[in-house]
Amino acid sequence: MKRSYSAFAEDIPPYSGPKAARDSYADLKQLSTIPGHIYTRPELQILPGQRRFSKVPWLVSMLELLPPTSIGHLKEWGLPTVFVLAKKYNKLVHVWESVMAMAELWHPQTNSFVFPEFEATILLEELEILLGLPCYQRGEEPTISYTVEQINSWSILEYITTKKTDLYTMTSGMHVHLLPIAQWITSQCKRKTTNYTAIAKAAAICICGVILFPESDGTISFGNLSIIDSIYEGMKIGQAVLGFLYGGLTSAVLGGPFYGSVIALELWMGMHIQFRAVKDLTTECKTMLNHPLAYVGGRLHMSTRAWCKTAQVKGIQAWRKYLRNLTVADFDMRPRFMHVRIIHLPQRTGLALRLLGNDALVSYNPDRCYLQCGAARTVVPLLSHFPPIQERKRGDVQNERDMRSAVVH
């Protein structure tokens, strides 16, 4: 799936650096003045009761039946971390108070968290490492996965089963039901069939639907199904996952439902805000035992023998107070897993990069988070790896159209 994108002359002035970001931050509209923002409605409870993040009883039992060959396919497609998180999913405990308090700081136009002294966001490079997804490299623009046309879900699911009764059971409206797919996997594994690739593809739909694209109770959209299907072809899905999470955060802060990978958000919060690796600790951090980092922290240089900086923060009010007074010193700008990593920035101020999601283009502004990016580790590409690039300002016609699109979505 390819899309043409604009090329620019070589004499374009380079990214103007931290000063422009600081000036822009000073002019940023306060969250309390954004119409309908959840920041001004503390009584609105939107996250804890969402069934889309409840336990999935069929998931672990289905994964335990997978043959080694099918598991090998999942690892080849870049999903080993997602597979581990899925196997441990029912053991994870979401701290909704921290997630909700964090979401309240999300700015829907800059797509960043606004703290008293700085802005921060979930960088694409961070998300790819946190979730163990295949990382983008310069020159691989054609391998970025996104959806540009109507999806024929049956053409994707027919690789798993050609029985029309199964296909009717697996789909309804514009969504795909995960439980019938899991039941099909279970039946194939118990019959000891050798259709290992089809089993792996079906398992990928289930684990990605639960970990990367949780949207509604036990279903995923046709667009996300298409994104998952592209994994088998070696496509990079990091942009789609991050764009979907950005869209979910924007929806939540404007009073809509929250969707997207809450596990990715909790991993990001854990590395930057909640935990800090300490060499000499001999006891395990009890707070981390049911946190996603307990199962995938090793590759991020984080073990359960860590210091929890937020151990005394309990309840939604305490989390609000803590996060709304967070200082630069309390936020780990450069976790160890991001050392020597290259972070891509736009060519100059005013050029918005857009994450190619499955339903809409989502603006991506890493240059605003200059403390996260760090000038010493920043490479300014001649041409952005997020096509298409577009000149953009907050408050202009295009920006307002994007905002209305986000609210509708």
Side-chain angles (χ1 to χ4, degrees), residues 1-228:
M1 293 176 283
K2 299 181 180 180
R3 176 182 289 182
S4 60
Y5 46 93
S6 305
F8 293 89
E10 295 182 359
D11 59 349
I12 287 180
Y15 164 61
S16 52
K19 183 179 184 302
R22 285 194 295 268
D23 294 342
S24 178
Y25 174 78
D27 296 335
L28 190 64
K29 181 183 290 187
Q30 296 298 313
L31 296 174
S32 58
T33 62
I34 298 175
H37 198 285
I38 189 177
Y39 189 92
T40 62
R41 297 185 289 172
E43 77 287 349
L44 186 61
Q45 301 289 319
I46 59 171
L47 298 181
Q50 297 294 345
R51 292 182 64 198
R52 61 180 58 86
F53 301 112
S54 58
K55 303 302 181 185
V56 184
W58 49 262
L59 182 62
V60 175
S61 58
M62 178 269 290
L63 294 177
E64 289 176 346
L65 295 174
L66 291 182
T69 304
S70 297
I71 296 175
H73 286 314
L74 293 174
K75 293 179 178 179
E76 290 173 10
W77 298 332
L79 298 174
T81 301
V82 177
F83 177 72
V84 170
L85 290 169
K87 286 196 71 173
K88 303 297 183 181
Y89 186 76
N90 288 342
K91 294 183 178 180
L92 302 180
V93 176
H94 301 302
V95 183
W96 289 114
E97 293 84 1
S98 65
V99 174
M100 187 172 181
M102 194 73 189
E104 290 175 355
L105 301 179
W106 182 255
H107 199 296
Q109 288 184 288
T110 63
N111 283 340
S112 60
F113 297 104
V114 180
F115 297 100
E117 300 176 358
F118 64 99
E119 287 179 73
T121 195
I122 306 168
L123 301 173
L124 176 63
E125 290 81 3
E126 289 180 327
L127 179 108
E128 290 174 334
I129 298 171
L130 289 171
L131 295 176
L133 299 175
C135 296
Y136 161 84
Q137 302 293 332
R138 282 292 295 158
E140 294 182 345
E141 288 82 1
T143 69
I144 297 173
S145 176
Y146 55 95
T147 301
V148 295
E149 57 188 16
Q150 188 173 0
I151 304 303
N152 183 348
S153 62
W154 279 26
S155 67
I156 297 174
L157 295 175
E158 278 177 350
Y159 191 88
I160 300 173
T161 177
T162 56
K163 293 183 179 180
K164 288 190 176 182
T165 53
D166 289 341
L167 294 173
Y168 278 117
T169 304
M170 293 178 180
T171 60
S172 66
M174 294 298 292
H175 289 81
V176 175
H177 295 278
L178 300 181
L179 178 58
I181 297 178
Q183 292 172 336
W184 179 87
I185 295 172
T186 301
S187 67
Q188 293 291 306
C189 293
K190 288 184 175 179
R191 289 162 48 197
K192 299 187 183 301
T193 63
T194 58
N195 198 5
Y196 300 128
T197 303
I199 292 174
K201 287 187 175 185
I205 294 173
C206 290
I207 64 175
C208 289
V210 172
I211 303 298
L212 304 182
F213 299 106
E215 185 174 3
S216 58
D217 190 30
T219 66
I220 58 172
S221 66
F222 287 176
N224 286 332
L225 175 66
S226 174
I227 295 294
I228 298 169

Side-chain angles (χ1 to χ4, degrees), residues 52-53 211-215 241 244-245 248 258-263:
R52 61 180 58 86
F53 301 112
I211 303 298
L212 304 182
F213 299 106
E215 185 174 3
V241 176
F244 193 64
L245 177 56
F258 177 78
Y259 52 87
S261 180
V262 68
I263 288 181

Side-chain angles (χ1 to χ4, degrees), residues 340-359:
V340 308
R341 295 288 180 173
I342 295 175
I343 296 175
H344 297 85
L345 295 177
Q347 294 171 302
R348 63 182 173 87
T349 303
L351 285 179
L353 307 182
R354 296 182 182 272
L355 298 171
L356 297 164
N358 63 330
D359 289 298

